[in-house]
């Protein structure tokens, strides 16, 4: 009875449609689009349902990851189905007898779609510019920023470790640590360092094949390769890579199939002694939605983080940038900017650019403190709105399990004094309040705040776990 029910084409299609809908909710859109959408039902006989898969690679994948589930769902819907068989229907099979029209239309779709070509050409500058790429590569190329070099990277206490690690990787021909994993909050120089490594290696040895791309691009490329049934070419591109850099891997969180592929690519490159450099907004262990085995792989080389900037680094960056742009930046203005714009370097540069643009538009009006304050009025106001000292006190108190009252009290016990200093430090970092204003909120004078800020800046360098706590707090507050 049941067997008869399935024999009609429409009921098979209906059931398959329902199964697809169910699978889609179970595995998520990306995995579904990548792996399950390209499948189609074929013939059914002796309790075996044939399902057409466009490539061998996909077949293996689908069998490992989804066949049990598909079988279970289908069996439940239709007990006549005892087994499921996955059949590769490649383009070359076009002339052979096909299971049913669905397969045929799928093949037609595949054959009429241009196949992607290799994107990265070994040893050519096209690696970066991707000028002669084709279908697959249109929006994928990630050109390197010529400004992001080691020369333009200002080194300070908060980034010197990451800088040293990046230089070491760039300069040594032998692999020293693999992977190099860089992490920090936004706008603190991860991408800059990665590009700097790439430029440096290219300069030393133009024949080395360096691939830099964001994790998002990696996923996109992968899914597209699947669509074009060209995962082999996809794999090939990575196989010939000497140095692979994947930026912002936190965006891979939750995308299981891409993670699998990334894991695979990653392992095979490492095994072959190729250098891998990864960046993320968190340490490998803290990455959300990333599989445990991938996390541990990511953390097995050298992990280097970039801390939030300190005042000196901000001054250094401002002066460096002004010099690059050929602009005279008065010390007072640099100090004002470095004091006010503490969240990240991108914003600091943005503010400086605004001030410079303003002075140049007004026919080379001199840059003064007054003018700077005026130009950045709105920006600083909205900046202030972001995080209040009250919020900081509350969050920090919560974190260290003390009350806000204790934080503001005169108690000097370490358990209270340290969180107080950290809250002051964060208030200086995350708001544009002056030292006396911050002091008032803690019932202290400005010298106490200044001392606290210095103390915490020192502690951050010495005590990694404290630095991490502060970073977590800063991110929570900055969100
Ligand atoms: P991330 O990738 O960590 O978000 P980026 O590398 O994009 O940060 O840096 C943001 C901006 O700040 C870029 O314009 C970069 O050139 C600049 N920048 C970051 N760190 C430094 C530094 N140490 N010296 C000079 N410029 C820097
Ligand atoms: Mg970046």
């Amino acid at each position: 009875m049941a067997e008869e029910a399935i024999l009609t084409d429409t009921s098979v299609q209906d059931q398959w449609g329902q199964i697809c809908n169910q699978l889609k909710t179970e595995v998520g859109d990306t995995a579904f689009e990548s792996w399950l959408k390209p499948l189609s039902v074929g013939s059914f006989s002796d309790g075996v349902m044939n399902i057409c898969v466009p490539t061998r690679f996909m077949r293996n994948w689908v069998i490992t990851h989804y066949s049990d589930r598909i079988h279970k769902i289908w069996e439940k819907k239709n007990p006549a189905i005892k087994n499921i068989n996955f059949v590769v229907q490649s383009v070359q099979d076009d002339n052979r007898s096909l299971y049913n029209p669905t397969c045929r239309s799928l093949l037609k779709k595949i054959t009429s779609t241009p196949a992607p070509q290799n994107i990265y050409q070994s040893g050519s500058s096209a690696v970066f510019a991707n000028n002669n790429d084709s279908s697959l590569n249109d929006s994928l190329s990630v050109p390197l920023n010529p400004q992001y070099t080691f020369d333009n990277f200002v080194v300070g206490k908060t980034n010197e470790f990451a800088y040293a690690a990046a230089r070491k990787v760039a300069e040594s021909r032998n692999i020293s640590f693999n992977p190099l994993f860089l992490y920090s909050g936004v706008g603190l120089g991860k991408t800059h360092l990665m590009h700097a490594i790439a430029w440096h290696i290219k300069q030393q040895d133009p024949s080395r094949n360096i691939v830099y791309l964001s994790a998002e691009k990696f996923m996109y490329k992968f899914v597209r390769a699947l669509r074009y049934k060209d995962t082999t070419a996809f794999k090939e591109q990575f196989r010939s890579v000497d140095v692979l850099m994947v930026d912002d891997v936190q965006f891979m969180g939750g995308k299981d199939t891409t993670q699998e592929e990334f894991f695979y690519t990653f392992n095979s490159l490492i095994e072959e002694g190729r250098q891998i450099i990864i960046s993320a907004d968190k340490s490998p262990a803290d990455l959300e939605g990333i599989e445990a085995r991938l996390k541990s792989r990511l953390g097995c080389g050298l992990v280097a983080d970039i801390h939030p900037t300190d005042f000196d680094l901000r001054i250094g960056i401002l002066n460096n940038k002004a010099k690059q742009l050929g602009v005279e930046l008065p010390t007072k203005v640099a100090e004002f900017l470095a004091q006010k714009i503490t969240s990240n370097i991108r914003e600091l540069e943005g503010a400086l650019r605004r001030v410079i643009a303003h002075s140049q538009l007004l026919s080379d009006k001199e840059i003064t403190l007054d003018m700077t304050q005026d130009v950045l009025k709105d920006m600083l106001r909205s900046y202030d709105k972001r995080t209040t000292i009250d919020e900081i006190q509350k969050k920090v108190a919560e974190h260290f399990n003390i009350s806000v009252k204790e934080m503001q009290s005169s108690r000097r016990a370490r358990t209270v004094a340290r969180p107080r200093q950290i809250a002051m430090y964060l208030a200086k970092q995350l708001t544009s309040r002056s030292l006396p204003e911050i002091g008032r909120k803690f019932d202290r004078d400005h010298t106490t705040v200044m001392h606290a800020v210095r103390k915490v800046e020192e502690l951050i360098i010495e005590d990694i776990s404290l630095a991490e706590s502060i970073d977590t707090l800063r991110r929570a507050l900055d969100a």
Side-chain angles (χ1 to χ4, degrees):
M1 251 329 262
E3 188 141 352
E4 264 175 32
I6 185 174
L7 285 176
T8 71
D9 242 17
T10 43
S11 66
V12 170
Q13 288 304 335
D14 281 355
Q15 285 175 9
W16 178 239
Q18 289 163 16
I19 290 166
C20 283
N21 284 340
Q22 187 169 339
L23 287 169
K24 195 172 177 171
T25 48
E26 283 178 17
V27 305
D29 285 351
T30 318
F32 178 81
E33 290 284 320
S34 314
W35 300 107
L36 300 165
K37 204 174 168 193
L39 308 183
S40 59
V41 282
S43 64
F44 173 76
S45 65
D46 296 333
V48 178
M49 174 56 80
N50 285 300
I51 295 186
C52 309
V53 194
T55 66
R56 184 175 296 278
F57 170 76
M58 261 182 106
R59 176 175 178 274
N60 294 342
W61 191 288
V62 170
I63 289 174
T64 339
H65 293 86
Y66 305 109
S67 70
D68 284 352
R69 188 68 197 130
I70 295 175
H71 186 199
K72 273 213 182 75
I73 306 176
W74 215 334
E75 203 178 21
K76 212 164 163 194
K77 279 195 191 305
N78 191 334
I81 295 191
K82 300 277 181 274
N83 225 331
I84 290 188
N85 186 28
F86 292 91
V87 190
V88 178
Q89 290 282 247
S90 69
V91 181
Q92 288 75 21
D93 291 342
D94 206 8
N95 298 329
R96 289 212 233 128
S97 67
L98 294 171
Y99 287 88
N100 76 4
T102 326
C103 276
R104 231 168 286 141
S105 67
L106 173 70
L107 285 172
K108 213 158 143 202
K109 211 171 112 204
I110 293 165
T111 41
S112 61
T113 316
Q117 287 166 25
N118 276 352
I119 301 168
Y120 297 104
Q121 295 196 336
S122 179
S124 93
S125 57
V127 169
F128 303 129
N130 296 323
N131 293 326
N132 53 351
D133 50 9
S134 60
S135 58
L136 187 65
N137 196 24
D138 41 18
S139 57
L140 297 179
S141 62
V142 189
L144 290 186
N145 187 328
Q147 299 296 322
Y148 289 2
T149 59
F150 283 129
D151 284 348
N152 287 340
F153 192 86
V154 182
V155 186
K157 274 192 208 149
T158 58
N159 61 18
E160 63 188 358
F161 182 61
Y163 171 80
R167 269 224 99 104
K168 176 100 184 139
V169 165
E171 281 164 6
S172 46
R173 278 237 57 149
N174 300 327
I175 304 265
S176 26
F177 0 81
N178 215 3
L180 169 62
F181 188 102
L182 299 168
Y183 78 95
S184 76
V186 294
L188 293 177
K190 299 181 293 293
T191 300
H192 188 134
L193 277 181
M194 289 173 107
H195 287 208
I197 296 172
W199 286 126
H200 190 91
I201 297 176
K202 271 280 150 199
Q203 209 180 19
Q204 302 291 304
D205 181 357
S207 73
R208 292 185 82 191
N209 185 9
I210 306 164
V211 170
Y212 165 86
L213 78 176
S214 66
E216 270 175 316
K217 292 255 152 69
F218 180 90
M219 295 190 292
Y220 180 74
K221 273 159 69 91
F222 179 55
V223 171
R224 257 191 97 167
L226 286 174
R227 292 244 173 87
Y228 288 127
K229 202 187 77 54
D230 211 354
T231 47
T232 321
F234 175 83
K235 285 182 192 311
E236 277 307 314
Q237 291 158 23
F238 288 98
R239 207 161 279 158
S240 60
V241 161
D242 295 311
V243 183
L244 173 66
M245 306 190 185
V246 185
D247 208 348
D248 288 323
V249 291
Q250 71 273 11
F251 293 125
M252 239 179 232
K255 313 276 190 326
D256 292 350
T257 51
T258 339
Q259 271 186 44
E260 289 264 357
E261 184 57 30
F262 179 60
F263 187 67
Y264 170 88
T265 309
F266 184 96
N267 281 337
S268 49
L269 287 174
I270 294 233
E271 271 156 29
E272 283 168 36
R274 317 296 170 88
Q275 178 72 53
I276 295 190
I277 300 154
I278 304 284
S279 89
D281 67 348
K282 296 191 187 65
S283 71
D286 289 340
L287 283 172
E288 281 152 27
I290 301 281
E291 277 184 59
R293 58 176 188 163
L294 182 53
K295 278 190 197 179
S296 81
R297 267 312 226 162
L298 289 173
C300 70
L302 181 74
V303 177
D305 61 339
I306 306 176
H307 295 291
T309 57
D310 59 18
F311 181 77
D312 289 347
L313 181 65
R314 293 195 290 275
I315 290 282
I317 285 169
L318 286 165
N319 287 334
N320 188 55
K321 196 85 205 163
K323 200 166 138 209
Q324 259 179 42
L325 297 168
V327 172
E328 193 72 46
L329 189 67
T331 312
K332 273 206 158 53
V333 174
E335 281 174 0
F336 173 79
L337 291 173
Q339 243 154 33
K340 295 287 178 189
I341 312 211
T342 53
S343 59
N344 68 53
I345 300 167
R346 192 172 297 137
E347 295 204 8
L348 188 66
E349 282 185 355
L352 177 66
R353 245 179 264 121
R354 239 159 102 169
V355 173
I356 293 174
H358 193 84
S359 89
Q360 288 174 348
L361 280 175
L362 297 178
S363 52
D364 286 329
K365 194 171 168 225
E366 204 190 332
I367 296 177
T368 62
L369 187 56
D370 274 356
M371 180 265 243
T372 302
Q373 285 170 330
D374 194 44
V375 171
L376 299 179
K377 213 165 41 205
D378 291 344
M379 183 178 171
L380 292 173
R381 204 177 293 133
S382 74
Y383 200 78
D384 271 347
K385 264 195 235 138
R386 287 190 204 158
T387 316
T388 64
I389 297 175
D390 291 356
E391 275 164 8
I392 294 171
Q393 290 182 333
K394 197 163 154 266
K395 263 260 151 35
V396 176
E398 254 168 37
H399 185 90
F400 290 99
N401 222 355
I402 61 169
S403 70
V404 173
K405 273 226 149 57
E406 278 177 299
M407 181 173 277
Q408 294 163 337
S409 73
S410 54
R411 277 190 65 199
R412 302 175 73 151
R414 168 80 69 90
T415 47
V416 179
R418 191 69 88 223
R420 184 185 297 131
Q421 287 175 327
I422 290 170
M424 288 176 177
Y425 167 81
L426 285 169
K428 190 79 201 78
Q429 283 254 312
L430 301 175
T431 72
S432 58
R433 298 284 163 217
S434 64
L435 295 175
E437 282 173 305
I438 296 172
R440 246 171 268 141
K441 285 278 187 182
F442 290 83
D443 220 6
R444 298 289 196 283
D445 70 17
H446 75 278
T447 51
T448 311
V449 182
M450 208 157 70
H451 172 74
V453 172
R454 286 216 193 104
K455 180 79 201 160
V456 175
E457 279 178 359
E458 274 167 33
L459 289 171
I460 282 177
I461 310 291
E462 290 161 12
D463 182 344
I464 292 175
S465 76
L466 183 84
E468 269 169 11
S469 294
I470 294 176
D471 207 29
T472 312
L473 281 164
R474 193 183 54 78
R475 275 181 214 157
L477 286 160
D478 220 3

